[in-house]
């Protein structure tokens, strides 16, 4: 009987899961990171975004199909030692990783490989930020102080409490959990380049970056989004953290 | 006949596992194809066997990139002749849209970066992002087409392990040069 259950759950894990992607129209968007370092809006081409972050169950199915991404086989250059370390085993979730929780402790390389397996890619920062501006009724709720308070509230949640399951309230486009659940990788996390210190821009370190120097931040009252930028720009591609997961995007 | 078949199978499996016999901490685990200034395409892992001094750049860059090249030359010149013969210089563009094979070749000629010591290469936009992530380099395209990017020299050992890096540009970094000397020292 338990054998049957094991076989059945194995089947469930390996069954192809077709993830939902919601379309987002092209648009001009005022990012916290203006492309020109001042205030120019960013043009975003139409794309589709995964409606939910990738779950432990989905990532397990991926690992079973692509064993090179098992935590006991992944090359060190693609993931640090924390990679999937909350799973009970290399191919077993266990109590600390529920199937419907978002997968975390994944490196950028692992997230990229997963998205590729879904014929998708990681969203760019601009795409993620553009999508995340929405709430249940508006595509851009960022000027609403209530939206700001709500998105900010999550950041005070202690990181040692278990992650909730996916399936938060969906926004106006049917996308869930952009806020209030996890941090998410973006494709160009290593393009955000916010200096740790404003002196980076014209002080002793001016040669650190070729070009116009580190970007300046806009919308300084949008703390929740700025914290995301600060966190992402501090990461290396092999890093994994307890709250860092991802979702995928597709170009239209 | 059967023997030929077995040989074929062996050959196929050898091709399929190429690159995976690299150490787990080698950057050559990344499967990317580079195309050099002569138009030849090869996998990154084919650089194995020799020490590599690596950086990323783009040819239309007028600000720090020329200094990255200068600093690679200064570092190379700090070595004795036998050590220099054991190291290659690899510059990879993160601007595949503008850095064609021709653009790379012209840049190499203009700066007198001669093969085989110098390789200037292009990769797809997606692979450039992966390679930069692997090497810990940041870059971002600006609206005008220029890039903001980190300026660093990176040292890979003969098996592709990242063993040293420096962000000191425009002069030799003594610590980095010491690491290069150690990596290229004779047997």
């Amino acid at each position: 009987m338990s054998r049957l259950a094991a076989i059945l759950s194995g089947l469930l894990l390996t069954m192809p899961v077709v993830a939902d992607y919601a379309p987002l129209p092209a648009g001009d968007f005022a990012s916290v990171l203006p492309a020109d370092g001042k205030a120019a809006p960013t043009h975003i081409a139409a794309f589709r975004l995964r409606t939910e972050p990738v779950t432990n169950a989905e990532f397990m199915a991926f690992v079973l199909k692509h064993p090179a991404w098992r935590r006991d086989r992944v090359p060190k250059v693609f993931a640090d030692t924390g990679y999937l370390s909350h799973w009970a085993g290399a191919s077993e979730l266990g109590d600390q990783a529920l199937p419907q929780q978002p997968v975390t402790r994944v490196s950028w390389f692992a997230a990229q490989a997963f998205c590729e397996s879904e014929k998708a890619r990681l969203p760019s920062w601009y795409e993620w930020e553009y999508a995340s501006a929405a709430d249940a009724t508006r595509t851009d709720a960022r000027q609403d102080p209530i939206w700001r308070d709500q998105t900010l509230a999550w950041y005070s949640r202690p990181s040692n409490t278990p992650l909730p399951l996916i399936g938060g309230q969906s926004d106006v486009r049917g996308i869930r959990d952009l806020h209030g659940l996890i941090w998410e990788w973006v494709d160009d996390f290593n393009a955000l380049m916010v200096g740790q210190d404003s002196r980076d821009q014209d002080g002793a370190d001016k040669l650190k970056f070729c070009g116009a120097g580190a970007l300046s931040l806009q919308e300084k009252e949008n703390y929740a989004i700025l914290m995301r930028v600060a966190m992402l720009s501090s990461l290396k591609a092999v890093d994994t953290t307890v709250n860092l997961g991802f979702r995928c995007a597709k170009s239209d | 006949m059967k023997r030929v078949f077995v040989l074929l199978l062996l050959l196929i499996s050898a091709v399929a596992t190429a690159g995976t016999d690299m150490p787990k901490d080698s950057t050559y685990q990344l499967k990317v194809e580079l195309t050099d200034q002569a138009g030849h395409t090869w996998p990154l892992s084919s650089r194995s066997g020799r020490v590599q001094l690596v950086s990323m750049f783009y040819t239309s860059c007028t600000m720090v990139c020329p200094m990255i090249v200068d600093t690679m030359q200064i570092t190379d010149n700090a070595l004795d002749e036998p050590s220099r013969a054991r190291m290659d210089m690899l510059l990879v563009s993160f601007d595949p849209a503008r850095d064609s094979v021709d653009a790379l070749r012209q840049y190499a000629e203009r700066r007198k970066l001669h093969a085989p010591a110098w390789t200037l290469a292009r990769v797809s936009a997606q692979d450039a992002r992966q390679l930069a992530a692997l090497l810990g380099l940041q870059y971002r395209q600006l609206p005008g087409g220029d890039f903001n990017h980190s300026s660093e020299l990176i040292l890979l050992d003969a098996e592709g392990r990242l063993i040293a890096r420096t962000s000191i540009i425009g002069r030799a970094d003594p610590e980095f040069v010491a690491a290069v000397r150690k990596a290229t020292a004779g047997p």
Side-chain angles (χ1 to χ4, degrees), chain A residues 188-196 200 208-210 214 229-236, chain B residues 56-57 94 128-129 131-141 147-152 154 165:
Chain A
D188 52 350
F189 78 99
N190 59 351
L192 306 180
M193 289 209 293
V194 180
Q196 290 179 324
D200 284 357
K208 194 171 169 198
F209 297 120
C210 174
V229 172
M231 197 280 304
L232 284 168
S233 63
S234 73
L235 290 172
K236 295 192 295 290
Chain B
M56 292 183 76
F57 82 127
F94 40 64
R129 187 58 74 193
L131 188 61
L134 192 68
L135 298 175
L137 299 174
Q138 302 185 314
Y139 68 93
R140 168 189 194 82
Q141 190 155 23
F147 287 80
N148 270 2
H149 62 96
S150 43
S151 310
E152 290 189 71
I154 288 161
R165 64 191 311 139

Side-chain angles (χ1 to χ4, degrees), chain A residues 27-44 126 129 142 215-219, chain B residues 140 142-144:
Chain A
D28 289 319
F29 179 72
S31 168
V32 297
L33 293 178
D36 64 349
K38 296 181 199 87
T42 303
H43 182 75
I44 292 165
Y126 284 140
E129 189 190 358
R142 294 179 298 164
L215 290 169
S216 66
L217 294 164
Q218 295 300 311
E219 303 245 351
Chain B
R140 168 189 194 82
L142 301 171

Side-chain angles (χ1 to χ4, degrees), chain A residues 59-142:
Chain A
F59 204 81
M60 174 60 76
F62 163 74
V63 167
L64 291 176
K65 212 171 157 194
H66 304 275
W69 288 101
R70 286 164 56 108
R71 72 178 191 198
D72 54 351
R73 293 194 198 165
V74 71
K76 277 186 215 163
V77 286
F78 294 154
D80 68 16
T81 51
Y83 176 62
L84 300 177
S85 58
H86 58 311
W87 286 11
S91 52
E92 190 190 344
L93 293 183
D95 302 338
Q96 303 301 312
L98 304 175
Q100 285 305 101
Q101 274 174 332
V103 68
T104 56
R105 296 187 195 260
V106 284
S107 66
W108 179 82
F109 287 109
Q112 269 214 330
F114 178 97
C115 290
E116 242 174 72
S117 77
E118 245 178 47
K119 294 190 170 55
R121 56 178 173 77
L122 285 172
S124 70
W125 165 257
Y126 284 140
E127 288 172 338
W128 193 93
E129 189 190 358
Y130 178 59
S132 78
D135 70 359
T137 56
R138 296 163 288 186
T139 56
D140 190 348
R142 294 179 298 164

Side-chain angles (χ1 to χ4, degrees), chain B residues 17-69:
Chain B
T17 56
T20 54
D21 52 349
M22 293 291 163
K24 292 269 187 193
D25 53 354
S26 168
T27 54
Y28 297 152
Q29 291 279 349
L30 186 69
K31 297 198 178 27
V32 289
E33 300 262 300
L34 292 89
T35 302
D36 62 28
Q37 72 268 38
H40 298 131
T41 298
W42 32 268
L44 178 65
S45 59
S46 71
R47 306 295 289 192
S48 74
R50 291 170 59 77
V51 175
Q52 305 289 318
L53 182 60
V54 186
S55 194
M56 292 183 76
F57 82 127
Y58 64 112
T59 64
S60 50
C61 169
T62 54
M63 295 172 80
V64 176
C65 302
M67 292 178 68
I68 293 177
V69 176

Side-chain angles (χ1 to χ4, degrees), chain B residues 6 12 18 27 49 65 87-88 112 127 145 153 163 166 171:
Chain B
V6 169
I12 289 166
T27 54
C65 302
M87 183 171 78
D88 299 324
K112 300 188 169 56
D127 286 351
L153 304 193
I163 50 174
T166 181
R171 61 185 169 87

